Amino acid sequence: MNPADRTKGFALVMLAAVLWGTTGTSQGLAPAEVSSAVIGALRILLGGIVLFLYAFYRGGFSKAEKWPFLITSFGILSVAAYQLAFFYGVRYAGVAIGTMVGIGSGPISAGILAYLFYNEKLSKKWMISTLIGIFGLVLTTYGSRGSGLNYNVFGIILSIGAGFFYASYTMVSKKLLETNDVNAVMAVLFLGGALLLSPFLFIYDVTPLLNPGGIIIIIHLGVIATGVSYFFFARGLKLIKVSETATLSLAEPLTATLLGILVLHESPSFLSFLGVFFIFAGLCVLSIQRKQKTEDR
């Protein structure tokens, strides 16, 4: 693969991660009485519709070749499970803790799954960049006021689960992209996930979201943080490894931290800012080192 394609892949995944970084803050702005399951279901339902319409417009389904039942079903299940684990994790552990634990555990899960199922070699550069990024997450998390005392263990467990399911549907997406159109893959996984979560729309009350503010939040989560972000993500995933993709997604907590300061008026300490520096450094190590490796060939 030429350097330009790899650089493009890195940029697309990081752009998607920046958009994902807005999801925790969006939930923080949503009415407290709204179930996290409802928010997750509405998010992927709207996002799935957007992705489906675009795939249909581009003729993506006419190009589809293979949809292995077990692999596709596991991908759909992972998409649905991620929504529940992430949004409930954020609710119980807090926006900063939930987002950072979920995303921080993602690269580890992705590295293990990529090694087991794709035989991807986990290079020293990947390990170093991931460790630097996770160390930054720890600093940022415990540097937040009270974060070391107020976290909820159940929320942490859910957030770790979210990281695993993120890695799972990333791995499945990579496999399906080998034989199917990029737009069709995202549409199938997210509409399928929305179908699994649709009962929550009837079990829980959605009326608190039926106001201008709630509608704007759902539109943002569905169209921007899901539809547009996964448009970028899938195209980037085709160009780089699963393990690299998960590490680059550490750009999400960077965004979440900045939004926490600007929107939720959080007051991070010096440790938090130092953590942000380490996260950024980890991303730079992965990007720069990969570029150098390509140039040396």
Side-chain angles (χ1 to χ4, degrees), residues 65-214:
E65 296 179 359
K66 294 181 180 180
W67 296 95
F69 178 76
L70 290 179
I71 294 177
T72 305
S73 298
F74 181 62
I76 289 172
L77 178 63
S78 296
V79 168
Y82 171 79
Q83 307 304 313
L84 295 178
F86 177 78
F87 281 106
Y88 275 109
V90 166
R91 172 152 295 186
Y92 288 113
V95 172
I97 301 290
T99 300
M100 292 177 188
V101 171
I103 302 308
S105 63
I108 299 175
S109 296
I112 295 173
L113 291 175
Y115 175 77
L116 292 176
F117 295 98
Y118 277 98
N119 198 30
E120 287 188 6
K121 294 182 179 179
L122 303 180
S123 67
K124 291 181 180 179
K125 297 167 187 176
W126 176 83
M127 293 180 185
I128 291 172
S129 64
T130 300
L131 288 174
I132 291 174
I134 292 175
F135 178 66
L137 286 171
V138 173
L139 290 180
T140 305
T141 299
Y142 284 93
S144 300
R145 290 184 177 178
S147 63
L149 299 174
N150 298 333
Y151 68 83
N152 179 287
V153 174
F154 181 57
I156 295 294
I157 294 174
L158 286 174
S159 297
I160 293 174
F164 170 78
F165 288 119
Y166 162 75
S168 297
Y169 73 71
T170 297
M171 181 185 68
V172 170
S173 298
K174 183 76 171 179
K175 183 65 177 178
L176 294 177
L177 287 171
E178 295 175 0
T179 56
N180 297 283
D181 177 75
V182 61
N183 302 307
V185 169
M186 292 295 102
V188 167
L189 292 182
F190 278 84
L191 275 182
L195 181 63
L196 291 181
L197 295 183
S198 60
F200 289 106
L201 299 178
F202 302 95
I203 295 174
Y204 295 104
D205 185 17
V206 300
T207 55
L209 289 172
L210 300 181
N211 58 73

Side-chain angles (χ1 to χ4, degrees), residues 31-55:
E33 62 270 24
V34 178
S35 169
S36 296
V38 169
I39 294 177
L42 288 174
R43 175 196 177 189
I44 63 172
L45 175 61
L46 183 55
I49 290 173
V50 170
L51 291 166
F52 174 82
L53 291 176
Y54 184 77

